[in-house]
Every structure is written in structure tokens, then in C-alpha cells.
Amino acid sequence: MNRRVLLLITAGGAALLVPWIVFLAVHLPEGYTTNEWRLAWVGFDVLLFAGLGSSAWLGFRRRRAAVPVLIATAALLCCDAWFDVVLDWSGDNRWGSVLMAAGVEIPLGLLLALRARQLLAPNQPPRFVTPQEIHDIFTDPIRQQIMHTLTSVPVTIEALAAMLPADPVDVAAGLHTLEVAGFVHRDGDRWRKRPLDLRWPEPDRMSAQDWANFGAWQERRLAGDLELLATAARHPERYGPWVRGSRGGLRLTQEELGQFFDEYLELSNRYGALRDLAAADGPGRFRGRARSQGELRTITVRLYTFPQSFGES
């Protein structure tokens, strides 16, 4: 929906509510008797039960549909707290309702709203590659292999060296360098990749020579990516439905392009976090869950955005 239309609808709705609120405050009776009291509250609690149950399942699965359900359930909890306190204020259960609202309903509503925000927000702040990291890490063969092979599942140095394959001494030295730089994390005698939102460096913070070195490094990486893509395209019998492709074009402002890029990364991070969550349950449960959902494979995903031509308006 166009932002101006959305602003018009929301602002207009808020403006119309003002006279309605004044009307209700003046004309509503002090007391009101209804025959549907039980149905209203039981129905409300059934709706709250459905919201909490759906929030638990969708939130655990990190589904995007969890966001509106979490927000709606948080709103229901706050409404429940409001009506419990207000309607019991003149009765004997006043402080019980206050304690229930302050101790359970409102904190739980805030927790659900926070969870919704976590599902929408990136799992970690963006980090821009520095010239020093390009020189010390991404052009070193052993460190590159470690970064490519290591996952969120902790492994020992010996196991990682066998996977590469490489000398365990060189692997240990590379891991320590990567740990200092913040790319990997050590859990006892095991190592795992730290989740990162790693982005291209900002041109205005690099010298011309550093940017030239970065460009040369990217050319080498793109050559490898293109070779993988060409192999996958030439051998559909080997890769089958694992290979997906799409090309498209958009007319965007620079601000909209930034929003598009951030939303893409948020989607990628969310799927990565789902896999990290499964891995955190332990290797056995991780393998079992992977089998229940089908074969698990590491997928190469790339996103590059650039103008169709220089100076295009």
C-alpha cells in the first residue's frame, strides 16, 4: 500500500475517533446489564488461547506469519489486563486483578511484542568488511577454507582439519586469527562460525588503493561463483530442484533500495537462525529434524544490486 494512502487512512481514523470518544464518555451509562457476559469472556479467552498457541508454534518455527499473530496476541493480553482491572476496580477482587495484570498479562504481552520485533529485525548489526580483514583473512587460503567450511555446529580442530583437509596446526592458527577478528567463536575445545551480517565496505571510508584491492578480490570471488553457477546450469541431472534462479529489475530510490536490501538480509538471517536453532538442540536431534524435513544441503545465495547503466535517471 502506498505510504500516503496508509497515512491518510490512519490519520483519518484517529481524527474520527476523537468525537466518538467524547460522545461515549458523555453518553455511556454508569452500569449496563447483558445476557451475553459469559459468552463474551469465554470467547475472548478462547481467542487468547488460540493466539498464544499459534504464537508459540509460529514463533518457534520462526515463520514470518508469527509477527502479526504475536502482535495481535500481545494486544489481546493488554486488553485483558485493562478490562480485568477496570471492571473489578469497585469489587472485592480489585488487587487480584491488578497483580494478575502487572505480574502476568502485561509482561507476557511485552515479551510477545519483543519477540515479534526480533523476528522482524536482523539477528545482528551489519558489519562492513575492512581492508585489513581482506588482506589478513579473505586472501589467506587456510582462513578462507575455514570460513567456507565452518558452520554453526561446533566442531573440534581435528575434525575441521579432516574436512578441509589441512594441517591441524595451520587450522588452529587460522581459527585464533578469526576469533580475534570476531568471525568465529570457541566453545571449550570446539569451534563454530559466529553469525554475521557481513557487507561490502563503504567506499568513502577506503582509499583508492584499498578499493582497487577490494575490487580485485571481488572479481576472484565472482569468477568462482560464476563457475559454480555454470556447472549447476550445465548439469540439471546432478542438482535438480536445488538450483533456482531469478533476474529482475526495479525502479527504486536510494532509500528504497536500502530498505529492499535490509529486508532481503532479514529474510536470509531468519532462515539461518531457524537452522541455528535446530543445531542448538544437539547433533542427534539436528539430524533427526533435518530428516523429517527432507535432505539438508548448504545453499549458495548471492544478492548484488547495481544500476542498469551509469548515470541512468
Side-chain angles (χ1 to χ4, degrees), residues 176-194:
H176 285 291
T177 300
L178 292 169
E179 181 185 25
V180 172
F183 287 95
V184 301
H185 178 73
R186 177 167 55 183
D187 295 320
D189 63 339
R190 296 176 180 269
W191 296 80
R192 61 178 176 84
K193 182 182 290 186
R194 190 184 293 274

Side-chain angles (χ1 to χ4, degrees), residues 142-157 159-161 163-164 171 174-175 178-179 183-186 190-194 298:
I142 292 294
R143 294 165 192 167
Q144 271 192 305
Q145 291 180 54
I146 292 173
M147 289 288 291
H148 180 73
T149 306
L150 201 62
T151 68
S152 58
V153 181
V155 296
T156 63
I157 291 177
L160 182 59
M163 286 188 287
L164 289 177
V171 173
L175 284 169
L178 292 169
E179 181 185 25
F183 287 95
V184 301
H185 178 73
R186 177 167 55 183
R190 296 176 180 269
W191 296 80
R192 61 178 176 84
K193 182 182 290 186
R194 190 184 293 274
T298 300

Side-chain angles (χ1 to χ4, degrees), residues 30 61 66 75 107 152 170 185 213 227 233 248 270 288 297 304:
E30 292 294 332
R61 301 294 298 170
S152 58
D170 295 333
H185 178 73
N213 294 338
E227 183 178 352
R270 182 164 56 84
R297 301 184 69 173
Y304 300 105

Side-chain angles (χ1 to χ4, degrees), residues 31 49 54 60 87-88 123 134 156 164 186 260 275 279:
F49 170 80
S54 301
F60 178 76
L87 297 179
D88 283 339
N123 297 317
I134 294 174
T156 63
L164 289 177
R186 177 167 55 183
F260 173 83
R275 185 54 54 202

Side-chain angles (χ1 to χ4, degrees), residues 23-232:
F23 174 81
L24 293 178
V26 173
H27 292 89
L28 275 180
E30 292 294 332
Y32 182 75
T33 301
T34 179
N35 294 326
E36 288 77 27
W37 180 258
R38 182 178 300 173
L39 176 62
W41 279 108
V42 171
F44 185 91
D45 285 340
V46 169
L47 185 61
L48 190 57
F49 170 80
L52 288 169
S54 301
S55 297
W57 190 83
L58 292 170
F60 178 76
R61 301 294 298 170
R62 296 188 70 87
R63 299 291 178 84
R64 194 172 184 84
V67 175
V69 175
L70 285 166
I71 294 174
T73 307
L76 288 175
L77 284 165
C78 293
C79 291
D80 197 13
W82 168 262
F83 285 109
D84 282 345
V85 172
V86 171
L87 297 179
D88 283 339
W89 192 251
S90 300
D92 298 333
N93 196 35
R94 175 196 306 178
W95 297 114
S97 296
V98 171
L99 289 175
M100 183 67 176
V104 178
E105 293 167 333
I106 293 178
L108 182 56
L110 292 175
L111 180 64
L112 295 183
L114 178 62
R115 180 61 172 164
R117 182 182 182 278
Q118 290 173 338
L119 288 172
L120 282 175
N123 297 317
Q124 58 278 323
R127 172 172 175 173
F128 298 93
V129 179
T130 66
Q132 193 64 38
E133 289 170 345
I134 294 174
H135 180 270
D136 294 343
I137 296 174
F138 296 109
T139 57
D140 181 88
I142 292 294
R143 294 165 192 167
Q144 271 192 305
Q145 291 180 54
I146 292 173
M147 289 288 291
H148 180 73
T149 306
L150 201 62
T151 68
S152 58
V153 181
V155 296
T156 63
I157 291 177
E158 292 74 18
L160 182 59
M163 286 188 287
L164 289 177
D167 190 307
V169 175
D170 295 333
V171 173
L175 284 169
H176 285 291
T177 300
L178 292 169
E179 181 185 25
V180 172
F183 287 95
V184 301
H185 178 73
R186 177 167 55 183
D187 295 320
D189 63 339
R190 296 176 180 269
W191 296 80
R192 61 178 176 84
K193 182 182 290 186
R194 190 184 293 274
L196 293 172
D197 181 359
L198 198 61
R199 305 190 183 189
W200 280 17
E202 298 175 309
D204 56 351
R205 296 188 178 183
M206 298 180 67
S207 67
Q209 183 59 51
D210 288 336
W211 191 254
N213 294 338
F214 170 76
W217 172 56
Q218 278 299 313
E219 286 181 11
R220 292 193 296 272
R221 299 183 73 193
L222 284 171
D225 289 343
L226 290 173
E227 183 178 352
L228 285 173
L229 177 60
T231 302

